[in-house]
Amino acid sequence: MKFTVALLPLLFASVTTSISLFSGSQMILADDGHDVPGKNPLRFCQNEDKYSLTINYVDLSPNPPLPGKTLTIKASGNFTAEVVEGAYINLSVKYGLITLLRQQADLCEQMKNVDEECPLDGEKTLTKDVELPARIPPGHYSVLADVYTKDNKQVTCLTAVVQFG
C-alpha cells in the first residue's frame, strides 16, 4: 500500500480513534469549519489556507463508517513545507461533554505505522484499511486532531462530529 504521510496522522488520530468508539446508526452534525474535500465527515478547524498541508481529498468507504465493517481510507495531500522529527499531534476525543482521550503523539513515530518516515514533504497519497469493532457505544462524539511542526507551526487541524444510535 502507498500511504500519504500528509494525511495519515490525522486519519489515524481523528478517524480510526474516533470510529473505534462508535456504534449503531449515525448522523454527521454540522459545525462552523470548512469541509475536507472528498467523501468523509472531516472538517478543517479554520480556513485551510493557513495550513502547510493541502489536502486534495479524503475518501472513506463506507461513508459513514459502519461497526463491524472494514473502513478503507484513501487520501491525497501536499506538504508545502517540510515536516521533520519533533512534529506532533494533539488529539482529543469526547463522548458528549466527557473527554475520553486527550494526548500528544509524535507525528514521525505515527508515520512508521504506515511505512513512512520523516521528513515529510511534497505530494503524498495514502490507502489504509481499518477493521472497525462490531460493538460501538451509541452517542455524540467529537474528535479534534491538531498537527504541528517541531517549531510549533500548524501543519493542519481537523475535526469530526458524529452522532451514533
Side-chain angles (χ1 to χ4, degrees), residues 67-137:
K69 302 292 182 188
T70 299
L71 173 65
T72 299
I73 304 165
K74 294 181 180 180
S76 172
N78 182 45
F79 287 101
T80 58
E82 186 176 64
V83 176
V84 298
E85 291 287 338
Y88 59 95
I89 306 167
N90 289 326
L91 176 65
S92 174
V93 179
K94 292 185 178 185
Y95 175 75
L97 298 175
I98 301 167
T99 299
L100 298 176
L101 177 69
R102 180 172 289 153
Q103 71 179 32
Q104 187 174 91
D106 183 301
L107 176 65
C108 295
E109 283 297 315
Q110 295 301 312
M111 297 314 302
K112 292 177 184 176
N113 293 328
V114 291
D115 301 324
E116 291 282 353
E117 58 185 49
C118 289
L120 307 172
D121 63 349
E123 278 292 322
K124 302 289 182 180
T125 58
L126 117 81
T127 300
K128 178 70 177 171
D129 288 331
V130 179
E131 298 298 323
L132 301 181
R135 293 181 164 232
I136 304 170

Side-chain angles (χ1 to χ4, degrees), residues 3 7 12 14 18 26 35 40 53 60 68 84 91 114 155 161:
F3 294 94
L7 304 175
F12 269 112
S14 66
S18 64
Q26 49 191 307
D35 291 338
N40 64 73
L53 169 60
L60 305 182
V84 298
L91 176 65
V114 291
V155 176
V161 179

Side-chain angles (χ1 to χ4, degrees), residues 31-52:
D31 63 27
D32 292 333
H34 302 275
D35 291 338
V36 171
K39 299 173 185 172
N40 64 73
L42 301 172
R43 298 178 66 78
F44 294 106
C45 300
Q46 59 184 341
N47 185 332
E48 57 272 22
D49 293 340
K50 299 180 183 211
Y51 303 139
S52 61

Side-chain angles (χ1 to χ4, degrees), residues 147-159:
V147 183
Y148 290 88
T149 66
K150 73 174 188 169
D151 300 322
N152 300 315
K153 293 181 181 172
Q154 195 170 42
V155 176
T156 195
C157 181
L158 299 177
T159 64

